[in-house]
Coordinates of all heavy atoms in Angstrom, one line a residue:
Chain A
A12 N -1.5 15.0 -9.2 CA -1.8 16.4 -9.3 C -0.9 17.2 -10.2 O -1.2 18.1 -10.9 CB -1.8 17.1 -7.9
K13 N 0.4 16.7 -10.2 CA 1.4 17.4 -11.1 C 1.1 17.1 -12.5 O 1.7 17.8 -13.4 CB 2.8 16.9 -10.7 CG 3.3 17.3 -9.3 CD 4.6 16.7 -9.0 CE 5.0 17.1 -7.6 NZ 6.1 16.3 -7.0
E14 N 0.3 16.2 -12.8 CA 0.0 15.8 -14.2 C -1.3 16.2 -14.7 O -1.7 16.0 -15.8 CB 0.2 14.3 -14.4 CG 1.4 13.7 -13.9 CD 2.7 14.1 -14.7 OE1 2.5 14.4 -15.9 OE2 3.8 14.1 -14.2
R15 N -2.1 16.9 -13.9 CA -3.5 17.1 -14.2 C -3.8 18.1 -15.3 O -4.8 18.0 -16.0 CB -4.4 17.4 -13.0 CG -4.2 18.8 -12.6 CD -5.3 19.8 -12.1 NE -6.7 19.7 -12.2 CZ -7.5 20.0 -11.2 NH1 -7.0 20.3 -10.0 NH2 -8.8 20.1 -11.4
G16 N -2.9 19.1 -15.5 CA -3.1 20.1 -16.5 C -4.5 20.8 -16.3 O -4.7 21.3 -15.2
D17 N -5.3 20.8 -17.3 CA -6.6 21.5 -17.2 C -7.8 20.5 -16.9 O -8.9 20.9 -17.1 CB -6.9 22.2 -18.5 CG -6.0 23.4 -18.8 OD1 -5.6 24.0 -17.7 OD2 -5.7 23.7 -19.9
A18 N -7.5 19.4 -16.5 CA -8.5 18.4 -16.2 C -9.5 18.9 -15.2 O -9.1 19.5 -14.2 CB -7.9 17.0 -15.8
V19 N -10.8 18.6 -15.4 CA -11.8 18.8 -14.4 C -11.8 17.6 -13.5 O -11.8 16.5 -14.0 CB -13.2 19.0 -15.0 CG1 -14.3 19.0 -13.9 CG2 -13.3 20.3 -15.9
V20 N -11.7 17.8 -12.2 CA -11.6 16.7 -11.2 C -12.9 16.6 -10.3 O -13.2 17.6 -9.7 CB -10.3 16.9 -10.4 CG1 -10.3 15.8 -9.3 CG2 -9.1 16.8 -11.2
V21 N -13.5 15.5 -10.3 CA -14.6 15.2 -9.5 C -14.1 14.3 -8.3 O -13.6 13.2 -8.6 CB -15.7 14.5 -10.2 CG1 -16.9 14.2 -9.3 CG2 -16.2 15.3 -11.4
T22 N -14.2 14.8 -7.1 CA -13.8 14.0 -5.9 C -15.1 13.5 -5.2 O -16.1 14.1 -5.3 CB -12.9 14.7 -5.0 OG1 -13.6 15.9 -4.5 CG2 -11.6 15.1 -5.7
H23 N -14.9 12.5 -4.4 CA -16.0 11.9 -3.7 C -15.5 11.3 -2.4 O -14.5 10.7 -2.3 CB -16.6 10.8 -4.6 CG -18.0 10.3 -4.3 ND1 -18.9 11.2 -3.8 CD2 -18.6 9.1 -4.3 CE1 -20.1 10.5 -3.6 NE2 -19.9 9.3 -3.9
M24 N -16.3 11.4 -1.4 CA -16.0 10.9 0.0 C -14.6 11.3 0.4 O -14.2 12.4 0.2 CB -16.2 9.4 0.0 CG -17.6 8.9 -0.6 SD -19.0 9.8 0.1 CE -19.1 9.1 1.7
S25 N -13.8 10.4 1.0 CA -12.5 10.7 1.6 C -11.6 11.3 0.6 O -10.7 12.1 0.9 CB -11.9 9.5 2.2 OG -12.7 9.0 3.2
T26 N -11.7 11.0 -0.7 CA -10.8 11.6 -1.7 C -10.9 13.1 -1.8 O -9.9 13.7 -2.1 CB -11.0 11.0 -3.1 OG1 -12.2 11.4 -3.7 CG2 -11.0 9.4 -3.0
G27 N -12.0 13.6 -1.5 CA -12.2 15.1 -1.5 C -11.3 15.8 -0.6 O -10.6 16.8 -0.9
H28 N -11.2 15.3 0.7 CA -10.3 15.8 1.7 C -8.9 15.7 1.2 O -8.1 16.7 1.2 CB -10.5 15.1 3.0 CG -9.5 15.4 4.0 ND1 -8.2 14.8 4.1 CD2 -9.5 16.3 5.0 CE1 -7.5 15.3 5.1 NE2 -8.3 16.2 5.7
D29 N -8.5 14.5 0.8 CA -7.1 14.3 0.4 C -6.6 15.0 -0.8 O -5.5 15.6 -0.9 CB -6.8 12.8 0.2 CG -6.9 12.0 1.5 OD1 -7.2 12.6 2.6 OD2 -6.7 10.8 1.5
W30 N -7.5 15.1 -1.8 CA -7.2 15.8 -3.0 C -7.0 17.3 -2.7 O -6.2 18.0 -3.3 CB -8.2 15.6 -4.1 CG -8.0 16.4 -5.4 CD1 -8.7 17.4 -5.8 CD2 -7.0 16.1 -6.4 NE1 -8.2 17.8 -7.1 CE2 -7.2 17.0 -7.4 CE3 -6.0 15.1 -6.5 CZ2 -6.3 17.0 -8.5 CZ3 -5.2 15.1 -7.6 CH2 -5.4 16.0 -8.6
S31 N -7.8 17.8 -1.8 CA -7.7 19.3 -1.5 C -6.3 19.6 -0.9 O -5.9 20.8 -0.9 CB -8.8 19.7 -0.5 OG -8.5 19.2 0.8
K32 N -5.6 18.6 -0.4 CA -4.3 18.9 0.2 C -3.2 19.0 -0.9 O -2.1 19.6 -0.7 CB -3.8 17.7 1.1 CG -4.8 17.5 2.2 CD -4.9 18.7 3.1 CE -5.9 18.5 4.2 NZ -6.3 19.7 4.9
V33 N -3.5 18.6 -2.2 CA -2.5 18.6 -3.2 C -2.9 19.4 -4.4 O -2.1 19.7 -5.3 CB -2.1 17.2 -3.6 CG1 -1.5 16.4 -2.5 CG2 -3.3 16.4 -4.2
S34 N -4.2 19.6 -4.6 CA -4.7 20.3 -5.8 C -4.3 21.8 -5.8 O -4.4 22.5 -4.8 CB -6.2 20.2 -5.9 OG -6.7 21.0 -7.0
T35 N -3.8 22.2 -7.0 CA -3.5 23.7 -7.1 C -4.5 24.3 -8.1 O -4.3 25.5 -8.5 CB -2.0 23.8 -7.7 OG1 -2.0 23.1 -8.9 CG2 -1.0 23.3 -6.7
R36 N -5.5 23.6 -8.5 CA -6.5 24.1 -9.4 C -7.9 23.9 -8.8 O -8.8 23.3 -9.5 CB -6.4 23.4 -10.8 CG -5.1 23.5 -11.5 CD -4.7 24.8 -12.0 NE -5.8 25.4 -12.8 CZ -5.9 25.2 -14.2 NH1 -5.1 24.4 -14.8 NH2 -6.8 25.9 -14.8
G37 N -8.1 24.5 -7.6 CA -9.4 24.3 -6.9 C -10.6 24.8 -7.7 O -11.7 24.3 -7.6
E38 N -10.3 25.7 -8.7 CA -11.5 26.2 -9.5 C -12.0 25.2 -10.4 O -13.1 25.3 -10.9 CB -11.0 27.5 -10.2 CG -10.2 27.3 -11.5 CD -8.7 27.0 -11.2 OE1 -8.3 26.9 -10.0 OE2 -7.9 27.0 -12.1
L39 N -11.2 24.1 -10.7 CA -11.7 23.0 -11.6 C -12.0 21.7 -10.8 O -12.1 20.7 -11.4 CB -10.6 22.8 -12.6 CG -10.4 23.9 -13.7 CD1 -9.2 23.5 -14.6 CD2 -11.7 24.0 -14.5
D40 N -12.1 21.9 -9.5 CA -12.5 20.7 -8.6 C -13.9 20.8 -8.2 O -14.4 21.8 -7.8 CB -11.6 20.6 -7.4 CG -10.1 20.5 -7.7 OD1 -9.8 20.0 -8.8 OD2 -9.3 20.8 -6.9
L41 N -14.6 19.6 -8.2 CA -15.9 19.5 -7.6 C -16.0 18.4 -6.7 O -15.7 17.2 -7.1 CB -17.0 19.4 -8.8 CG -18.5 19.4 -8.3 CD1 -19.4 20.0 -9.3 CD2 -19.0 17.9 -8.0
N42 N -16.3 18.6 -5.5 CA -16.4 17.5 -4.5 C -17.9 17.1 -4.4 O -18.7 17.8 -3.8 CB -15.9 17.9 -3.1 CG -15.9 16.8 -2.1 OD1 -15.5 15.7 -2.4 ND2 -16.4 17.1 -0.9
L43 N -18.2 15.9 -4.9 CA -19.6 15.4 -4.9 C -19.8 14.8 -3.5 O -19.4 13.7 -3.2 CB -19.8 14.4 -6.0 CG -21.2 14.1 -6.4 CD1 -21.2 13.5 -7.8 CD2 -21.9 13.2 -5.5
S44 N -20.5 15.6 -2.7 CA -20.6 15.1 -1.3 C -21.9 14.4 -1.0 O -22.0 13.6 -0.1 CB -20.5 16.3 -0.3 OG -21.4 17.3 -0.7
G45 N -22.9 14.6 -1.8 CA -24.2 13.8 -1.6 C -24.3 12.7 -2.7 O -23.3 12.5 -3.4
A46 N -25.4 12.0 -2.6 CA -25.6 10.9 -3.6 C -24.4 9.9 -3.7 O -23.8 9.8 -4.7 CB -25.9 11.5 -5.0
M47 N -24.1 9.3 -2.6 CA -22.9 8.4 -2.5 C -22.9 7.4 -3.6 O -23.9 6.7 -3.8 CB -22.8 7.7 -1.1 CG -21.6 6.9 -0.9 SD -21.4 6.3 0.8 CE -20.0 5.3 0.6
G48 N -21.8 7.3 -4.2 CA -21.6 6.3 -5.3 C -21.8 6.8 -6.7 O -21.5 6.1 -7.7
K49 N -22.2 8.1 -6.8 CA -22.6 8.6 -8.2 C -21.5 9.4 -8.8 O -21.7 10.0 -9.9 CB -23.9 9.4 -8.1 CG -25.1 8.6 -7.5 CD -25.3 7.3 -8.3 CE -26.6 6.6 -8.0 NZ -26.7 6.3 -6.6
A50 N -20.3 9.4 -8.3 CA -19.2 10.2 -8.9 C -18.9 9.7 -10.3 O -18.7 10.5 -11.2 CB -18.0 10.2 -8.0
S51 N -18.8 8.4 -10.5 CA -18.5 7.9 -11.8 C -19.6 8.3 -12.8 O -19.3 8.6 -14.0 CB -18.4 6.4 -11.7 OG -19.5 5.8 -11.1
S52 N -20.8 8.3 -12.4 CA -21.9 8.6 -13.3 C -21.9 10.1 -13.7 O -22.0 10.5 -14.8 CB -23.3 8.3 -12.7 OG -23.3 6.9 -12.3
F53 N -21.6 10.9 -12.7 CA -21.5 12.4 -12.9 C -20.3 12.6 -13.9 O -20.4 13.4 -14.8 CB -21.3 13.1 -11.6 CG -21.2 14.6 -11.7 CD1 -22.3 15.3 -12.0 CD2 -20.0 15.2 -11.6 CE1 -22.2 16.7 -12.2 CE2 -19.9 16.6 -11.7 CZ -21.0 17.3 -12.0
G54 N -19.2 12.0 -13.6 CA -18.0 12.2 -14.5 C -18.3 11.7 -15.9 O -17.8 12.4 -16.8
L55 N -19.1 10.7 -16.0 CA -19.4 10.2 -17.4 C -20.2 11.3 -18.1 O -19.9 11.6 -19.3 CB -20.3 8.9 -17.3 CG -20.9 8.4 -18.6 CD1 -19.8 8.1 -19.6 CD2 -21.8 7.3 -18.4
G56 N -21.2 11.8 -17.5 CA -22.0 12.9 -18.2 C -21.1 14.0 -18.6 O -21.2 14.6 -19.7
M57 N -20.2 14.4 -17.7 CA -19.3 15.5 -18.0 C -18.4 15.2 -19.2 O -18.2 16.0 -20.1 CB -18.5 15.8 -16.7 CG -17.4 16.7 -16.8 SD -18.0 18.4 -16.9 CE -17.1 18.9 -18.3
A58 N -17.9 14.0 -19.2 CA -17.0 13.6 -20.2 C -17.7 13.5 -21.6 O -17.1 13.8 -22.6 CB -16.4 12.2 -19.9
L59 N -19.0 13.0 -21.6 CA -19.7 13.0 -22.8 C -20.1 14.4 -23.3 O -20.1 14.6 -24.6 CB -21.0 12.2 -22.6 CG -20.9 10.7 -22.3 CD1 -22.2 10.1 -22.0 CD2 -20.2 10.0 -23.4
A60 N -20.3 15.3 -22.4 CA -20.7 16.6 -22.8 C -19.5 17.4 -23.5 O -19.7 18.1 -24.4 CB -21.2 17.4 -21.6
R61 N -18.4 17.1 -22.9 CA -17.2 17.9 -23.4 C -16.0 16.9 -23.7 O -15.1 16.7 -22.9 CB -16.8 18.9 -22.4 CG -17.7 20.1 -22.2 CD -17.8 20.9 -23.5 NE -16.5 21.5 -23.8 CZ -16.2 22.8 -23.5 NH1 -17.0 23.6 -22.9 NH2 -15.0 23.3 -23.8
P62 N -16.1 16.3 -24.9 CA -15.0 15.3 -25.2 C -13.6 16.0 -25.3 O -12.6 15.3 -25.3 CB -15.4 14.7 -26.6 CG -16.8 15.2 -26.8 CD -17.1 16.3 -25.9
D63 N -13.6 17.3 -25.4 CA -12.3 18.0 -25.5 C -11.7 18.3 -24.1 O -10.6 18.8 -24.1 CB -12.6 19.4 -26.2 CG -13.6 20.2 -25.5 OD1 -14.7 19.7 -25.1 OD2 -13.3 21.4 -25.2
V64 N -12.4 18.0 -23.1 CA -12.0 18.3 -21.7 C -11.6 17.0 -21.0 O -12.4 16.0 -21.1 CB -13.0 19.0 -20.9 CG1 -12.6 19.2 -19.4 CG2 -13.3 20.4 -21.5
K65 N -10.5 16.9 -20.4 CA -10.1 15.7 -19.6 C -10.9 15.7 -18.3 O -11.0 16.7 -17.6 CB -8.6 15.7 -19.3 CG -7.7 15.4 -20.5 CD -6.3 15.4 -20.1 CE -5.4 15.2 -21.3 NZ -4.0 15.4 -21.0
V66 N -11.5 14.6 -18.0 CA -12.3 14.4 -16.8 C -11.7 13.4 -15.9 O -11.5 12.2 -16.4 CB -13.8 14.1 -17.1 CG1 -14.6 13.9 -15.8 CG2 -14.4 15.2 -18.0
W67 N -11.3 13.7 -14.7 CA -10.8 12.8 -13.7 C -11.9 12.6 -12.6 O -12.4 13.6 -12.1 CB -9.5 13.2 -13.1 CG -8.3 13.2 -14.0 CD1 -8.3 13.0 -15.3 CD2 -7.0 13.5 -13.5 NE1 -7.0 13.1 -15.7 CE2 -6.2 13.4 -14.7 CE3 -6.4 13.8 -12.3 CZ2 -4.8 13.6 -14.6 CZ3 -5.0 14.0 -12.3 CH2 -4.2 13.9 -13.4
V68 N -12.1 11.3 -12.2 CA -13.0 11.0 -11.1 C -12.2 10.3 -10.1 O -11.5 9.3 -10.3 CB -14.2 10.1 -11.6 CG1 -15.0 9.7 -10.4 CG2 -15.0 10.8 -12.6
F69 N -12.3 10.8 -8.8 CA -11.7 10.1 -7.7 C -12.8 9.5 -6.9 O -13.5 10.2 -6.2 CB -10.8 11.0 -6.9 CG -9.5 11.4 -7.5 CD1 -9.3 12.6 -8.2 CD2 -8.5 10.5 -7.5 CE1 -8.1 12.9 -8.8 CE2 -7.2 10.8 -8.1 CZ -7.1 12.0 -8.7
D70 N -12.9 8.2 -6.9 CA -14.0 7.4 -6.3 C -13.4 6.7 -5.1 O -12.1 6.6 -5.0 CB -14.5 6.4 -7.3 CG -16.0 6.2 -7.3 OD1 -16.6 6.6 -6.3 OD2 -16.5 5.7 -8.3
G71 N -14.2 6.3 -4.2 CA -13.8 5.4 -3.1 C -14.2 4.0 -3.5 O -15.1 3.8 -4.3
D72 N -13.6 3.0 -2.8 CA -14.0 1.6 -3.1 C -15.4 1.4 -2.6 O -16.3 0.8 -3.3 CB -13.0 0.6 -2.6 CG -12.6 0.8 -1.2 OD1 -13.1 1.7 -0.5 OD2 -11.7 0.0 -0.7
G73 N -15.7 1.8 -1.4 CA -17.1 1.6 -0.9 C -18.1 2.3 -1.7 O -19.2 1.8 -2.0
S74 N -17.8 3.5 -2.2 CA -18.8 4.2 -3.0 C -18.9 3.6 -4.4 O -20.1 3.5 -5.0 CB -18.4 5.7 -3.2 OG -17.1 5.9 -3.5
L75 N -17.8 3.1 -5.0 CA -18.0 2.5 -6.3 C -18.8 1.2 -6.2 O -19.6 0.8 -7.1 CB -16.6 2.2 -6.9 CG -16.6 1.5 -8.3 CD1 -17.5 2.2 -9.3 CD2 -15.2 1.3 -8.8
L76 N -18.6 0.5 -5.1 CA -19.4 -0.7 -4.9 C -20.9 -0.4 -4.9 O -21.7 -1.3 -5.2 CB -19.0 -1.4 -3.6 CG -17.7 -2.1 -3.6 CD1 -17.3 -2.6 -2.2 CD2 -17.7 -3.3 -4.5
M77 N -21.3 0.8 -4.4 CA -22.7 1.2 -4.4 C -23.2 1.4 -5.8 O -24.4 1.5 -6.0 CB -22.9 2.5 -3.7 CG -22.8 2.3 -2.2 SD -23.3 3.8 -1.4 CE -23.1 3.4 0.3
N78 N -22.4 1.6 -6.8 CA -22.8 1.9 -8.2 C -21.9 1.1 -9.2 O -21.5 1.7 -10.2 CB -22.6 3.4 -8.4 CG -23.3 4.0 -9.6 OD1 -24.1 3.3 -10.2 ND2 -23.0 5.2 -10.0
L79 N -21.7 -0.1 -8.9 CA -20.8 -1.0 -9.7 C -21.3 -1.1 -11.1 O -20.5 -1.2 -12.1 CB -20.7 -2.4 -9.1 CG -19.5 -3.2 -9.3 CD1 -18.2 -2.4 -9.0 CD2 -19.5 -4.5 -8.5
G80 N -22.6 -1.0 -11.3 CA -23.2 -1.0 -12.7 C -22.7 0.1 -13.5 O -22.7 0.0 -14.8
S81 N -22.3 1.2 -12.9 CA -21.8 2.4 -13.6 C -20.6 2.0 -14.5 O -20.3 2.7 -15.5 CB -21.5 3.6 -12.7 OG -20.4 3.3 -11.9
L82 N -19.8 1.0 -14.0 CA -18.6 0.6 -14.8 C -19.1 0.1 -16.2 O -18.4 0.4 -17.2 CB -17.9 -0.5 -14.1 CG -17.2 -0.1 -12.8 CD1 -16.5 -1.3 -12.1 CD2 -16.1 1.0 -13.0
V83 N -20.2 -0.6 -16.2 CA -20.7 -1.1 -17.5 C -21.3 0.1 -18.3 O -21.0 0.2 -19.5 CB -21.8 -2.1 -17.3 CG1 -22.4 -2.6 -18.6 CG2 -21.3 -3.3 -16.5
T84 N -21.9 1.0 -17.7 CA -22.5 2.2 -18.4 C -21.3 3.0 -19.0 O -21.4 3.4 -20.1 CB -23.3 3.1 -17.4 OG1 -24.3 2.3 -16.8 CG2 -23.9 4.3 -18.1
V85 N -20.3 3.2 -18.2 CA -19.1 4.0 -18.7 C -18.4 3.2 -19.8 O -18.1 3.7 -20.9 CB -18.1 4.2 -17.6 CG1 -16.8 4.8 -18.1 CG2 -18.7 5.2 -16.5
G86 N -18.3 1.9 -19.6 CA -17.6 1.1 -20.6 C -18.4 1.1 -21.9 O -17.8 1.1 -23.0
A87 N -19.7 1.1 -21.9 CA -20.5 1.1 -23.1 C -20.5 2.5 -23.8 O -20.4 2.5 -25.0 CB -22.0 0.8 -22.7
M88 N -20.4 3.6 -23.1 CA -20.4 4.9 -23.7 C -19.0 5.2 -24.1 O -18.8 6.1 -25.0 CB -20.9 6.0 -22.8 CG -22.4 5.8 -22.4 SD -23.5 5.7 -23.9 CE -23.4 7.3 -24.6
A89 N -18.0 4.6 -23.5 CA -16.6 4.7 -23.9 C -16.0 6.1 -24.0 O -15.5 6.4 -25.1 CB -16.4 3.8 -25.1
P90 N -16.1 7.0 -23.1 CA -15.5 8.3 -23.2 C -14.0 8.2 -23.1 O -13.5 7.8 -22.1 CB -16.1 9.1 -22.0 CG -16.4 8.0 -21.0 CD -16.8 6.8 -21.7
R91 N -13.4 8.7 -24.2 CA -11.9 8.5 -24.3 C -11.2 9.5 -23.3 O -10.0 9.3 -23.1 CB -11.5 8.8 -25.7 CG -12.0 7.8 -26.7 CD -11.3 7.7 -28.0 NE -11.3 9.0 -28.7 CZ -10.7 9.2 -29.8 NH1 -10.1 8.3 -30.4 NH2 -10.8 10.4 -30.4
N92 N -11.9 10.5 -22.9 CA -11.4 11.6 -22.0 C -11.6 11.4 -20.6 O -11.4 12.3 -19.8 CB -11.9 12.9 -22.5 CG -13.5 12.9 -22.4 OD1 -14.1 11.9 -22.7 ND2 -14.1 14.1 -22.1
M93 N -12.0 10.2 -20.1 CA -12.3 10.0 -18.7 C -11.3 9.0 -18.1 O -11.0 7.9 -18.6 CB -13.7 9.4 -18.6 CG -14.1 9.1 -17.2 SD -15.9 8.8 -17.1 CE -16.0 8.1 -15.4
V94 N -10.8 9.5 -16.9 CA -9.9 8.6 -16.1 C -10.6 8.5 -14.7 O -10.9 9.5 -14.1 CB -8.5 9.2 -15.9 CG1 -7.6 8.2 -15.1 CG2 -7.8 9.5 -17.2
H95 N -10.8 7.3 -14.3 CA -11.6 6.9 -13.1 C -10.6 6.3 -12.1 O -10.2 5.2 -12.3 CB -12.7 6.0 -13.5 CG -13.6 5.6 -12.5 ND1 -14.7 4.7 -12.7 CD2 -13.7 6.0 -11.1 CE1 -15.4 4.6 -11.6 NE2 -14.8 5.3 -10.6
F96 N -10.2 7.1 -11.1 CA -9.4 6.6 -10.0 C -10.2 6.0 -8.9 O -11.3 6.6 -8.6 CB -8.5 7.7 -9.5 CG -7.6 8.4 -10.5 CD1 -8.0 9.5 -11.2 CD2 -6.3 7.9 -10.8 CE1 -7.2 10.1 -12.2 CE2 -5.5 8.5 -11.8 CZ -6.0 9.6 -12.4
V97 N -9.7 5.0 -8.3 CA -10.4 4.4 -7.2 C -9.5 4.2 -6.0 O -8.4 3.6 -6.1 CB -11.0 3.0 -7.5 CG1 -11.8 2.5 -6.3 CG2 -11.9 3.1 -8.7
Y98 N -9.8 4.9 -4.9 CA -9.1 4.7 -3.6 C -9.5 3.4 -3.1 O -10.6 3.2 -2.6 CB -9.5 5.8 -2.7 CG -8.5 6.8 -2.2 CD1 -7.4 7.2 -3.0 CD2 -8.7 7.4 -1.0 CE1 -6.5 8.1 -2.5 CE2 -7.8 8.4 -0.5 CZ -6.7 8.7 -1.2 OH -5.8 9.6 -0.8
E99 N -8.6 2.4 -3.1 CA -9.0 1.1 -2.5 C -8.3 0.9 -1.2 O -7.1 0.7 -1.1 CB -8.6 0.0 -3.5 CG -9.1 -1.4 -3.0 CD -8.8 -2.5 -3.9 OE1 -9.0 -2.4 -5.1 OE2 -8.2 -3.5 -3.5
N100 N -9.1 1.1 -0.2 CA -8.5 0.9 1.2 C -9.3 -0.1 2.0 O -9.1 -0.3 3.2 CB -8.5 2.2 2.0 CG -9.9 2.9 2.0 OD1 -10.9 2.2 1.9 ND2 -9.9 4.2 2.3
D101 N -10.2 -0.8 1.3 CA -11.0 -1.9 1.8 C -11.8 -1.5 3.0 O -12.2 -2.4 3.9 CB -10.0 -3.1 2.3 CG -9.3 -3.7 1.1 OD1 -9.9 -3.6 0.0 OD2 -8.2 -4.3 1.2
A102 N -12.2 -0.3 3.1 CA -12.9 0.2 4.3 C -13.8 1.4 4.0 O -13.6 2.1 3.0 CB -12.0 0.5 5.4
Y103 N -14.9 1.5 4.8 CA -15.7 2.7 4.7 C -15.1 3.7 5.7 O -15.4 3.7 6.9 CB -17.1 2.4 5.2 CG -17.9 1.5 4.2 CD1 -18.2 0.2 4.6 CD2 -18.3 2.0 3.0 CE1 -18.9 -0.7 3.7 CE2 -19.0 1.1 2.1 CZ -19.3 -0.2 2.5 OH -20.0 -1.0 1.6
D104 N -14.2 4.5 5.2 CA -13.5 5.5 6.1 C -14.4 6.4 6.8 O -14.3 6.7 8.0 CB -12.5 6.3 5.3 CG -11.1 5.6 5.2 OD1 -11.0 4.5 5.7 OD2 -10.2 6.2 4.6
T105 N -15.4 6.9 6.1 CA -16.2 8.0 6.6 C -17.2 7.5 7.7 O -17.7 8.3 8.5 CB -17.1 8.7 5.5 OG1 -17.8 7.7 4.9 CG2 -16.2 9.4 4.6
T106 N -17.3 6.2 7.8 CA -18.2 5.7 8.9 C -17.4 5.0 10.0 O -18.0 4.3 10.9 CB -19.2 4.7 8.3 OG1 -18.6 3.6 7.7 CG2 -20.2 5.4 7.4
G107 N -16.1 5.1 10.0 CA -15.3 4.5 11.0 C -14.4 3.4 10.7 O -13.8 2.7 11.5
G108 N -14.3 3.0 9.4 CA -13.4 2.0 8.9 C -13.9 0.6 8.9 O -13.1 -0.4 8.8
Q109 N -15.2 0.4 8.8 CA -15.7 -0.9 8.7 C -15.3 -1.5 7.3 O -15.2 -0.8 6.4 CB -17.2 -0.9 8.8 CG -17.8 -0.4 10.1 CD -18.0 1.1 10.1 OE1 -17.5 1.8 9.2 NE2 -18.7 1.6 11.1
P110 N -15.0 -2.8 7.3 CA -14.6 -3.4 6.0 C -15.7 -3.4 4.9 O -16.8 -3.6 5.3 CB -14.2 -4.8 6.3 CG -14.9 -5.1 7.6 CD -15.0 -3.8 8.4
T111 N -15.3 -3.2 3.7 CA -16.2 -3.2 2.6 C -16.5 -4.7 2.2 O -15.6 -5.5 2.4 CB -15.7 -2.5 1.4 OG1 -14.3 -2.9 1.1 CG2 -15.6 -1.0 1.6

Side-chain angles (χ1 to χ4, degrees):
Chain A
K13 290 176 185 164
E14 308 292 334
R15 78 135 348 136
D17 289 330
V19 172
V20 174
V21 180
T22 59
H23 198 35
M24 309 310 288
S25 300
T26 69
H28 170 277
D29 290 4
W30 179 253
S31 73
K32 303 299 177 196
V33 300
S34 174
T35 57
R36 302 289 308 273
E38 77 278 10
L39 290 174
D40 297 339
L41 183 146
N42 184 47
L43 200 159
S44 52
M47 186 171 172
K49 301 306 188 306
S51 51
S52 304
F53 181 73
L55 170 63
M57 175 69 231
L59 293 175
R61 288 296 296 262
D63 59 312
V64 174
K65 289 179 183 171
V66 177
W67 289 9
V68 174
F69 285 101
D70 221 337
D72 49 4
S74 48
L75 180 54
L76 286 172
M77 287 189 177
N78 194 11
L79 207 52
S81 71
L82 292 175
V83 176
T84 306
V85 171
M88 296 306 294
R91 297 196 304 178
N92 54 329
M93 178 171 166
V94 185
H95 185 181
F96 300 93
V97 183
Y98 241 30
E99 186 177 310
N100 56 23
D101 295 334
Y103 294 109
D104 272 2
T105 54
T106 57
Q109 301 89 346
T111 50

